Amino acid sequence: MTDLASAHVLVLGATGGLGAPIARRLVAAGARVSLSARDGSKLAALADELGDSVVTTVAVDLTLPPGPGQAVETAHGAAPLTGVVNAAGVVAFGPAAELDDDTLDELLLLDLVAPVRLVRAAAAVLPEGGFIAQVSAVVAEKAMPGMAAYSAAKAGLTAFDAAAATELRRRKVRVLDVRPPHTETGLATRPVAGEAPRLPRGLAPDAVAARIVAAIADDERDLPAEAFSDRPEGS
Ligand SMILES: NC(=O)c1ccc[n+]([C@@H]2O[C@H](COP(=O)([O-])OP(=O)(O)OC[C@H]3O[C@@H](n4cnc5c(N)ncnc54)[C@H](OP(=O)(O)O)[C@@H]3O)[C@@H](O)[C@H]2O)c1
């Protein structure tokens, strides 16, 4: 078991539809948290809500090369870190043959390159018993037409996590790859390009967050899509 009551966890994408309930669930389990995203005012509002459980906030753009390292260094400098949860990400829709360069760059930088840099930065500071939970997606297991680049970025992340998990196991640092199905966070309504297809009702964000935090606490090593309840929000 990972004792969350004595943990300090950095949450990236903390103001997002998944990041915020993950941060709330971690705090409910007794953890202290540091919160990161780009928008400082949203970070301040969440920090106000979570009160004394917040160690620090870090406004960084994770697509920039120093971003992941800055988030880790600032949080770890404020109090030694036990773990990191990466719930920052973007999606894009549209035919693969029409993908433009800016969209491709943003998707790959945030959804694949930043998590790789994050593992590098976190591995340098996490203690034995520490953890890195990365939110990949169900499309890493089953690529979706109309989401080719997003599927590729997430499949790449999941592959990276599998290899890094084996390497870091020797140092007793756990890498947990998390692949949720579609979840009602509103992500699909703010793509960096294209328009979402008609999607079935997704999972409830708080239920997905609860499952992720339970997996962290229970020392689970992989969280595939099938590990999430298939009960849509509101049913
Ligand atoms: N929702 C789903 O159906 C679903 C399903 C499976 C997996 N996922 C994955 O779960 C993760 C979270 O998704 P979500 O639904 O919670 O999305 P969301 O509500 O849009 O939240 C995204 C978070 O990432 C931050 N962010 C965006 N661009 C950033 C950047 N360049 N640098 C730093 N932070 C950045 C956002 O804050 P700022 O804009 O202020 O930076 C926000 O906190 C993503 O990786 C997504 O692929 C989502």
Side-chain angles (χ1 to χ4, degrees):
M1 289 285 288
T2 292
D3 179 18
L4 289 175
S6 61
H8 172 207
V9 184
L10 169 62
V11 183
L12 302 170
T15 55
L18 270 181
I22 289 170
R24 290 187 189 103
R25 287 267 173 187
L26 287 167
V27 166
R32 290 180 304 149
V33 291
S34 286
L35 308 171
S36 184
R38 287 171 305 181
D39 185 327
S41 59
K42 286 189 194 160
L43 280 174
L46 184 62
D48 264 2
E49 177 195 326
L50 297 179
D52 290 345
S53 300
V54 177
V55 174
T56 190
T57 59
V58 201
V60 288
D61 185 341
L62 294 172
T63 64
L64 302 176
Q70 277 171 4
V72 169
E73 279 159 32
T74 305
H76 189 67
L81 277 172
T82 316
V84 180
V85 179
N86 179 15
V90 285
V91 71
F93 302 104
E98 293 171 19
L99 189 65
D100 69 81
D101 283 333
D102 287 346
T103 302
L104 182 61
D105 284 352
E106 186 168 355
L107 265 181
L108 290 179
L109 282 172
L110 186 60
D111 291 358
L112 177 58
V113 177
V116 170
R117 291 187 172 126
L118 176 68
V119 167
R120 194 175 59 192
V125 303
L126 289 178
E128 279 193 7
F131 63 87
I132 304 164
Q134 304 251 47
V135 183
S136 179
V138 63
V139 294
E141 299 173 3
K142 189 175 187 314
M144 290 284 291
M147 302 170 73
Y150 180 67
S151 300
K154 292 297 190 180
L157 169 59
T158 291
F160 175 83
D161 284 344
T166 305
E167 292 180 23
L168 291 179
R169 197 168 186 156
R170 283 181 219 120
R171 291 168 47 181
K172 298 189 170 29
V173 170
R174 181 166 47 112
V175 178
L176 173 65
D177 186 77
V178 176
R179 301 184 292 282
H182 173 52
T183 305
E184 293 297 334
T185 62
L187 174 70
T189 65
R190 43 179 176 272
V192 289
E195 206 174 298
R198 269 176 62 90
L199 294 165
R201 189 97 188 124
L203 301 183
D206 188 55
V208 173
R211 184 68 188 87
I212 293 170
V213 172
I216 292 169
D218 293 344
D219 293 343
E220 290 181 62
R221 295 198 166 268
D222 193 44
L223 208 47
E226 67 182 17
F228 291 87
S229 150
D230 59 0
R231 200 152 41 101
E233 183 173 54
S235 69

